Amino acid sequence: MKDFIAELRWRGMLQDMTPGLENHLKEGMKSAYLGIDPTADSLHIGHLVGVMTLVHFQRSGHKPMALVGGATGMIGDPSFKSVERNLLDMETLNQNINAIKTQLAKFLDFEGDQANKADLVNNYDWMAPFSFLEFIRDVGKHITVNYMMAKDSVKRRLEEGNGLSFTEFSYQLIQGYDFYYLWKNKSCSVQLGGSDQWGNIVTGAELIRKKAGGEAFALTVPLITKADGSKFGKTEGGNVWLDAEKTSPYAFYQFWLNVSDEDAGKYIRIFTTLDQESILHLENEHQEAPHLRGLQKELAKQITVMVHGQQEFELALKASSILFGKSSLEDLAALDERTFLQVFDGVPVLRLSTEQFKALENTTDLLALDGMIFNSKGEARKMIKGGGVSINKVKINDPNAEVAMPLLQEKYLLVQKGKKNYYIVKVG
RNA sequence: GGGGGAAUACCAAAGCGGCCAACUGGGACGGACUGUAAAUCCGUUGACUUAUGUCUUCACAGGUUCGAAUCCUGUUUCCCCCA
């Protein structure tokens, strides 16, 4: 059995824990849970810190439990949120829960018969049959409103004056009861969570103490930050999701590859299961040859493989080298159609009939057609003069040149506006 | 209520009768360099077209002039000072 706390510590994943937890875990196999509210039909990388904590917990020989909040998801956690959340309906919640289950299985071992196999629970199962009267008699009695209001997370909402409904206020009580329930029925003695969950988790431990005289522990992981101060896990396109439909494996891979040097070391500790020695080794290499970005590449590889699998990773790698490497017309032409379409998955496609294509007088006409690539011919010309347009990886210099590029696979042209904007022209 | 000032393109800020589609800085977008980075340097930044052209802009509505963002009148908004 490995030392879970020590593991988190060197990885920089330990924000806070209740006293005694370290000794508690040394007694033998324990069980810990992490709650995830099914607010969307996919996890995003913000969830990953918590999930990785569970992963390390399992790797340390303990039993992890993931709790999807079918009940709490209906309420909405007010912690550090400035406005009242929207309620989700049952149907959406169930879809979300199922999607999240599938994603969790990529990280945790739910199969097999080993003692520490991961479990998935849904608090809807025990909250739904619970009547309101029973709840306030059995649970509400043990925790005072004074205690609940003293939490930072609640206090802030009260001070801001945006209001806090009773529904959201009761969230911490429900989460507290979850902890109690799992402690009582599943011998779960530890709750993990983000640092914003500290208050909620402690309420649960308090409930266990008051209601049953039991002992339970809390452990929180730090909020992930970025060296430049901007918010972690966001791109211009919004959240970085684990669902390939929402964030393509390529975009996912790119996100990690583009992590700054300062952040890469921190992230590789948190988001991969590489051991300390390997990481130090990678960091040394990175020190010596920062331009190779070995650290980012390994980080991106590890996570992409874990989330999307080896095959998707290789495709993302291929796409990256074609899009950003020194690839040439030959490289492009060498791709078979299927790979080509996969590499350029998500790139806008401009469809042209063969007649339309033949009728084009010059390159500018092509680029300004439909206003999709450029809004006007003038704009296209300017960009060409500025050296910002390539077709099939060959830079265009003359706006009036005829369209004489060979069609890839007899039907595609790859248009590049600037470095990162790709368009496909499909003829026929 | 009285007095003074300001309104300019994405933002900031020049211009004060023709040389103004409007200096300059920031931002944005391109290019070079590079690590798909940072820093730096260069270019573009009203629209359409590509001729060295047309059209629409300098709060709004009128006016004076061959000609105005620049002068006059009114309207609106904002700021400052006195009450």
Side-chain angles (χ1 to χ4, degrees):
Chain A
M1 187 155 289
K2 284 200 321 200
D3 188 341
F4 172 66
I5 302 294
E7 179 84 13
L8 290 195
R9 212 172 253 144
W10 77 257
R11 286 182 186 275
M13 295 171 76
L14 185 62
Q15 171 79 25
D16 217 344
M17 58 177 177
T18 48
L21 174 58
E22 216 162 351
N23 288 330
H24 177 68
L25 291 177
K26 280 176 182 155
E27 289 167 7
M29 190 189 88
K30 300 294 177 186
S31 180
Y33 93 93
L34 173 89
I36 296 170
D37 274 356
T39 46
D41 61 356
S42 169
L43 297 173
H44 54 75
I45 58 175
H47 289 112
L48 231 43
V49 196
V51 174
M52 289 310 294
T53 314
L54 282 182
V55 170
H56 290 301
F57 197 69
Q58 187 168 38
R59 287 166 65 96
S60 299
H62 297 289
K63 182 178 176 70
M65 278 195 260
L67 179 151
V68 280
T72 32
M74 298 182 78
I75 306 293
D77 181 3
S79 292
F80 303 101
K81 307 281 188 333
S82 52
V83 289
E84 183 86 11
R85 337 275 343 264
N86 293 323
L87 298 179
L88 297 171
D89 60 70
M90 275 307 290
E91 194 186 338
T92 314
L93 275 172
N94 281 327
Q95 278 172 7
N96 293 353
I97 289 170
N98 284 327
I100 289 172
K101 273 182 190 170
T102 315
Q103 291 180 344
L104 284 173
K106 292 174 178 171
F107 296 89
L108 297 167
D109 190 359
F110 289 98
E111 302 300 318
D113 46 14
Q114 70 274 32
N116 72 330
K117 88 177 173 73
D119 259 352
L120 191 91
V121 291
N122 181 351
N123 59 10
Y124 186 80
D125 295 342
W126 58 84
M127 286 311 304
F130 216 151
S131 84
F132 182 72
L133 269 180
E134 276 178 277
F135 187 79
I136 54 176
R137 277 181 67 96
D138 290 357
V139 181
K141 194 71 183 162
H142 298 282
I143 302 289
T144 64
V145 171
N146 312 48
Y147 180 83
M148 290 170 73
M149 295 216 306
K151 304 285 183 199
D152 280 349
S153 51
V154 172
K155 222 193 293 177
R156 186 174 313 182
R157 269 292 279 282
L158 292 174
E159 281 165 4
E160 275 172 8
N162 280 333
L164 173 69
S165 68
F166 178 73
T167 311
E168 282 196 21
F169 181 61
S170 59
Y171 185 95
Q172 63 165 297
L173 213 50
I174 296 179
Q175 182 170 338
Y177 179 75
D178 284 345
F179 198 3
Y180 172 79
Y181 180 91
L182 292 174
W183 176 82
K184 182 138 177 89
N185 299 292
K186 304 255 186 185
S187 357
C188 176
S189 53
V190 184
Q191 185 178 169
L192 311 172
S195 52
D196 59 337
Q197 292 299 311
W198 180 258
N200 291 341
I201 297 176
V202 170
T203 302
E206 181 73 4
L207 189 62
I208 291 168
R209 195 178 65 77
K210 288 211 167 137
K211 205 168 149 57
E215 194 178 23
F217 304 88
L219 184 148
T220 54
V221 295
L223 192 71
I224 304 300
T225 54
K226 268 169 69 174
D228 66 5
S230 57
K231 204 169 177 189
F232 169 77
K234 298 270 184 190
T235 62
E236 300 93 80
N239 273 327
V240 178
W241 301 94
L242 301 201
D243 183 351
E245 294 296 315
K246 291 183 189 297
T247 300
S248 72
Y250 162 74
F252 187 84
Y253 175 78
Q254 282 287 321
F255 172 82
W256 296 104
L257 192 64
N258 281 316
V259 159
S260 71
D261 290 0
E262 302 93 281
D263 291 326
K266 187 165 72 185
Y267 295 168
I268 203 167
R269 284 173 172 74
I270 295 174
F271 296 107
T272 74
T273 52
L274 292 174
D275 60 39
Q276 197 162 12
E277 197 186 334
S278 313
I279 290 175
L280 289 175
H281 181 67
L282 280 167
E283 281 181 329
N284 279 333
E285 280 184 346
H286 190 260
Q287 282 276 313
E288 278 165 35
H291 60 282
L292 294 178
R293 286 187 297 161
L295 207 49
Q296 283 93 334
K297 282 180 183 161
E298 190 60 25
L299 170 69
K301 176 185 171 181
Q302 291 283 332
I303 309 186
T304 309
V305 169
M306 188 154 52
V307 173
H308 294 295
Q310 183 71 23
Q311 203 179 343
E312 290 294 339
F313 157 70
E314 278 167 21
L315 209 59
L317 194 62
K318 194 165 194 171
S320 298
S321 82
I322 288 170
L323 263 39
F324 295 105
K326 293 182 201 64
S327 59
S328 62
L329 176 55
E330 288 72 51
D331 295 328
L332 273 181
L335 291 178
D336 60 62
E337 183 171 359
R338 196 175 142 269
T339 313
F340 177 82
L341 290 176
Q342 277 177 331
V343 165
F344 293 102
D345 182 36
V347 166
V349 177
L350 175 64
R351 287 169 199 285
L352 286 185
S353 69
T354 314
E355 295 75 49
Q356 273 178 304
F357 183 68
K358 281 184 178 152
L360 294 170
E361 292 200 11
N362 54 43
T363 313
T364 308
D365 279 354
L366 171 71
L367 296 175
L369 200 76
D370 253 23
M372 194 171 98
I373 306 178
F374 287 100
N375 285 321
S376 69
K377 292 187 184 180
E379 224 175 275
R381 265 180 235 274
K382 269 179 201 160
M383 188 72 95
I384 291 173
K385 281 181 185 165
V389 179
S390 296
I391 295 181
N392 290 349
K393 285 281 169 190
V394 179
K395 189 158 281 183
I396 306 296
N397 301 309
D398 180 7
N400 298 315
E402 286 180 35
V403 185
M405 336 305 305
L407 292 174
L408 302 166
Q409 304 295 326
E410 314 278 298
K411 52 185 151 182
Y412 301 109
L413 281 177
L414 180 68
V415 179
Q416 213 175 333
K417 176 168 97 180
K419 237 173 221 161
K420 298 187 178 179
N421 304 303
Y422 287 85
Y423 301 87
I424 288 174
V425 176
K426 185 176 183 186
V427 179

